[in-house]
Amino acid sequence: MAIRSVASRRTLTGLKETSSRLLRFRGIQTFTLPDLPYDYSALEPAISGEIMQIHHQKHHQAYVTNYNNALEQLDQAVNKGDASAVVKLQSAIKFNGGGHVNHSIFWKNLAPVKEGGGEPPKGSLGGAIDTHFGSLEGLVKKMSAEGAAVQGSGWVWLGLDKELKKLVVDTTANQDPLVTKGGSLVPLVGIDVWEHAYYLQYKNVRPDYLKNVWKVINWKYASEVYEKECK
Amino acid sequence: MAASAAVTANYVLKPPPYPLDALEPHMSKQTLEFHWGKHHRAYVDNLKKQVLGSELEGKALEHIIQNTYNNGDLLPPFNNAAQAWNHEFFWESMKPGGGGKPSGELLALLERDFTSYEKFYDEFNAAAATQFGAGWAWLAYADNKLKVVKTPNAVNPLVLGSFPLLTIDVWEHAYYLDFQNRRPDYIKTFMNNLVSWEAVSSRLEAAKAASA
């Protein structure tokens, strides 16, 4: 059987604020895979430990590795003044840098039930959701529908439009970060709808994944971001 | 099995030309059950619903694909129509005991247009591995030349003006149950063990005749 067994293990303690480290290589800042603040199996049964381990250790790690490679190549191209090479690298930077940005947010968007995963947002974000979407159920229904409708790979987002001061639901293709849909958009909650995010558990039934993922959405984190951006 | 490039207007879910377990161990029965039985079936069923009552109803699948591609500004039925076509083409691109190097005229043409079979193999592998997100890699024929093409999501060479000869599905659902994130392993397995060069040859003959 091709499926690997999952070793659920405690990741390093503490939630790192940033995953970047300064390496003395040509002066550019490269990135490392952020640790998850919970065990791989801690989001079960909503998301299986097997998926979490592969998603984090293989997919996100690959984005980090490839992003660092693209940044090194970019640095060289910039230093040489090679404009064509710089432009040619943009898609690798967007794919892999976007993948790193999006997944770093995603791990914080999730929490085990015993640490508040699934608990509805209180405070100002809860109020804003009711104002813009009628209710949390209304928001969930809208995001789930839009997430299910993404063709191919992508993400569905709850974002804050800082300029217009309102909440928005939007989708992005592939690993495009939310900011590619609008410079004033701040991501609050992103849900990965690439097949790798759910296939081993939910197979082709993306709507079932979208129904269940809400049970482990970390509204506390989303509220923190919202309150910070609203100041 | 002679693979015709034209799919009828009946929008049928045609079974692969082999039992669902026939490609094991290279592509599992479970994968075929989901990929053909659920994904491909859904594209066909949803296409039928989508064109019902519209001017596209009853039109040949290739007509719908070209029409709804709309020069890249995709109309809603494109995804289902193209994916229905792509998947039938994909099943017929494989066979039990397939893969390896072709022979005869096909090998000669690959050597002519890629310098060697190995160079073609590498280029096809690279295209399939670097199609970011969902999509397909193809061997295609245009202007009397073979070329490797990669396309995103549901796009196929028909809308790009060339004749598809061979394809590999690199949407994650095509390989995730058997290979998880290891797309390069899936591509190698496809090339070494699954490709139906007979299908490719007969499609090439059809393409040459259509171009004449």
Side-chain angles (χ1 to χ4, degrees):
Chain A
M1 187 65 177
I3 307 284
R4 295 177 186 154
S5 62
V6 174
S8 177
R9 78 176 93 85
R10 172 65 58 186
T11 55
L12 294 179
T13 54
L15 175 61
K16 292 202 177 103
E17 280 304 305
T18 175
S19 60
S20 59
R21 296 230 183 95
L22 188 64
L23 297 182
R24 294 285 177 269
F25 187 87
R26 298 181 183 274
I28 59 165
Q29 186 155 313
T30 56
F31 296 85
T32 57
L33 183 69
D35 293 320
L36 298 192
Y38 37 78
D39 282 352
Y40 290 130
S41 60
L43 303 181
E44 289 183 347
I47 305 178
S48 73
E50 181 181 30
I51 286 180
M52 290 304 294
Q53 182 171 359
I54 297 173
H55 202 172
H56 180 246
Q57 284 184 0
K58 304 291 181 185
H59 290 279
H60 189 173
Q61 179 64 68
Y63 291 127
V64 169
T65 302
N66 294 333
Y67 185 37
N68 287 338
N69 289 340
L71 287 175
E72 281 173 28
Q73 289 176 62
L74 178 67
D75 190 55
Q76 287 169 34
V78 166
N79 287 332
K80 277 196 295 193
D82 187 345
S84 300
V86 168
V87 172
K88 196 170 164 208
L89 282 163
Q90 296 312 302
S91 64
I93 287 170
K94 190 179 183 191
F95 296 159
N96 294 296
H100 172 55
V101 165
N102 293 339
H103 285 86
S104 299
I105 296 169
F106 188 50
W107 309 135
K108 296 182 200 172
N109 282 155
L110 302 170
V113 168
K114 66 173 165 40
E115 285 165 42
E119 257 173 47
K122 303 174 183 74
S124 54
L125 179 58
I129 287 172
D130 288 345
T131 301
H132 292 294
F133 303 101
S135 62
L136 180 61
E137 292 67 41
L139 170 64
V140 165
K141 196 164 167 214
K142 185 176 169 67
M143 280 183 76
S144 297
E146 295 204 18
V150 170
Q151 279 167 15
S153 309
W155 293 74
V156 59
W157 302 94
L158 171 67
L160 166 66
D161 187 324
K162 279 205 295 193
E163 231 173 279
L164 301 180
K165 297 205 192 319
K166 61 182 214 142
L167 296 177
V168 298
V169 168
D170 207 344
T171 59
T172 56
N174 297 331
Q175 291 300 349
D176 295 356
L178 182 61
V179 73
T180 59
K181 294 301 275 282
S184 57
L185 295 177
V186 175
L188 301 176
V189 177
I191 299 177
D192 190 347
V193 293
W194 280 63
E195 287 170 330
H196 65 238
Y198 60 88
Y199 207 81
L200 294 177
Q201 185 176 357
Y202 295 96
K203 311 292 192 301
N204 59 301
V205 195
R206 193 192 285 177
D208 279 358
Y209 159 66
L210 288 167
K211 232 194 312 217
N212 284 287
V213 74
W214 296 104
K215 299 174 185 166
V216 289
I217 290 295
N218 182 9
W219 287 108
K220 275 193 269 185
Y221 171 73
S223 293
E224 282 165 22
V225 176
Y226 179 76
E227 278 158 29
K228 194 173 95 179
E229 293 294 340
C230 282
K231 285 206 169 68
Chain B
M1 157 128 200
S4 156
V7 179
T8 69
N10 290 330
Y11 320 136
V12 173
L13 178 67
K14 206 167 153 197
Y18 36 76
L20 297 186
D21 63 353
L23 301 182
E24 291 207 339
H26 313 295
M27 186 177 285
S28 66
K29 178 184 184 196
Q30 192 192 28
T31 290
L32 266 294
E33 283 173 340
F34 280 100
H35 198 178
W36 174 77
K38 307 279 185 185
H39 291 273
H40 185 179
R41 184 184 305 276
Y43 291 126
V44 173
D45 289 347
N46 291 335
L47 174 66
K48 283 188 211 165
K49 286 186 218 151
Q50 221 169 10
V51 300
L52 190 63
S54 82
E55 62 189 7
L56 293 173
E57 190 183 353
K59 294 284 195 303
L61 193 55
E62 286 189 16
H63 172 97
I64 298 181
I65 291 169
Q66 297 286 5
N67 178 292
T68 59
Y69 180 67
N70 197 30
N71 290 309
D73 188 12
L74 311 180
L75 300 177
F78 179 79
N79 193 59
N80 289 317
Q83 286 290 81
W85 193 98
N86 295 340
H87 281 86
E88 186 171 315
F89 192 82
F90 178 51
W91 310 130
E92 294 173 354
S93 293
M94 296 186 286
K95 66 168 204 180
K101 216 163 149 171
S103 55
E105 192 201 354
L106 189 49
L107 179 61
L109 286 175
L110 287 172
E111 288 172 342
R112 182 196 72 183
D113 294 334
F114 295 95
T115 314
S116 65
Y117 171 75
E118 288 68 31
K119 286 252 169 69
F120 156 71
Y121 182 98
D122 289 345
E123 194 174 324
F124 188 84
N125 263 252
T130 60
Q131 176 49 45
F132 193 75
W136 304 76
W138 309 81
L139 174 65
Y141 174 85
D143 303 319
N144 192 27
K145 220 172 166 290
L146 297 179
K147 55 183 179 163
V148 166
V149 173
K150 61 184 182 185
T151 57
N153 296 339
V155 178
N156 66 33
L158 294 175
V159 303
L160 303 175
S162 49
F163 292 91
L165 301 179
L166 172 69
T167 196
I168 181 173
D169 187 348
V170 293
W171 283 59
E172 287 175 328
H173 64 239
Y175 58 90
Y176 217 82
L177 296 179
D178 295 338
F179 294 92
Q180 295 80 61
N181 61 298
R182 292 169 290 124
R183 194 196 284 189
D185 287 349
Y186 159 65
I187 299 165
K188 269 204 259 313
T189 299
F190 173 84
M191 292 302 291
N192 296 346
N193 303 105
L194 293 172
V195 172
S196 168
W197 289 115
E198 288 82 3
V200 176
S201 290
S202 83
R203 288 158 177 174
L204 178 60
E205 289 314 301
K208 278 154 72 178
S211 309

